[in-house]
Amino acid sequence: AEAGETSAISAEIASCVATWQFANVRWLLDRIRAEVAADRARFDWAIGVLLTLNDRRFYCGALKRSVVLQQIRGTIDALLDSVPSVSVNGSSSARRVAWGTRDGLRPPCSGERTLVICARGFQAEGEDCDSRVLVAGYRLGWRSFIVYGLSGQRFTACGLGAGSSGVRIEVVGSSGDYLSSG
């Protein structure tokens, strides 16, 4: 999905939320999930819209902002959980690695652009932390990352080193300290 397209759609949604009820927000998020379920090629578009909504401040009217964000983040997690594993063959723009599949990390295949890292189960730091998987993915040729399922992990994106310009990392969740430092 083009950045301008996702930004425009996100802005349109954000401008409407103030007049909505929670049922409208749930309907929209269910519709986005259904779009991806029907056509995996819509994943980049859907995750772009949802990440933009998650990152931007917008007026929610009578709706409690924290609840709207909780619903958006739940949908982000559900979409990211549905990304095919790095160990599965097939066409997809994104591949997911988790604690149980970390040993199967490999270079991106044709058409694969984003490595999704589920941080659940990884240690917060040390040899078995998710940040080591991100650095290993970078060394294998991945340049776009989404890290989610964080619960205070530290050092996310540390260790890429000089010459890592052009890398894009989306961090979804409660990142710990030292995010992208060093």
Side-chain angles (χ1 to χ4, degrees):
E2 295 295 321
E5 178 191 0
T6 57
S7 188
I9 292 168
S10 300
E12 180 67 27
I13 292 168
S15 71
C16 294
V17 170
T19 63
W20 286 358
Q21 297 179 352
F22 284 120
N24 302 101
V25 175
R26 282 190 299 276
W27 175 86
L28 173 70
L29 297 174
D30 288 344
R31 187 74 198 119
I32 290 172
R33 259 192 260 195
E35 285 281 328
V36 174
D39 182 4
R40 282 303 299 178
R42 300 290 285 163
F43 172 80
D44 290 338
W45 166 82
I47 203 69
V49 168
L50 293 170
L51 289 172
T52 301
L53 287 171
N54 182 60
D55 292 345
R56 304 292 186 262
R57 291 213 46 100
F58 54 91
Y59 180 61
C60 294
L63 302 181
K64 192 168 183 181
R65 179 174 162 70
S66 63
V67 176
V68 172
L69 288 176
Q70 180 182 24
Q71 291 177 330
I72 290 169
R73 290 172 183 160
T75 303
I76 291 170
D77 283 354
L79 285 181
L80 295 175
D81 282 342
S82 75
V83 169
S85 171
V86 294
S87 61
V88 175
N89 291 327
S91 64
S92 178
S93 64
R95 290 295 171 174
R96 185 173 50 86
V97 64
W99 174 255
T101 59
R102 70 193 182 284
D103 292 335
L105 184 60
R106 56 164 176 74
C109 293
S110 177
E112 295 177 340
R113 293 181 301 280
T114 304
L115 182 63
V116 175
I117 301 171
C118 178
R120 291 183 214 115
F122 284 93
Q123 292 181 359
E125 61 183 84
E127 294 299 317
D128 290 327
C129 72
D130 60 291
S131 185
R132 301 274 180 148
V133 172
L134 191 148
V135 171
Y138 171 75
R139 290 185 179 143
L140 288 169
W142 295 93
R143 294 298 180 263
S144 175
F145 301 89
I146 301 174
V147 184
Y148 77 110
L150 294 153
S151 55
Q153 277 87 344
R154 292 180 282 288
F155 305 107
T156 299
C158 294
L160 297 182
S164 58
S165 64
V167 172
R168 180 177 174 93
I169 304 168
E170 295 279 352
V171 178
V172 182
S174 180
S175 64
D177 24 346
Y178 305 110
L179 180 64
S180 290
S181 67

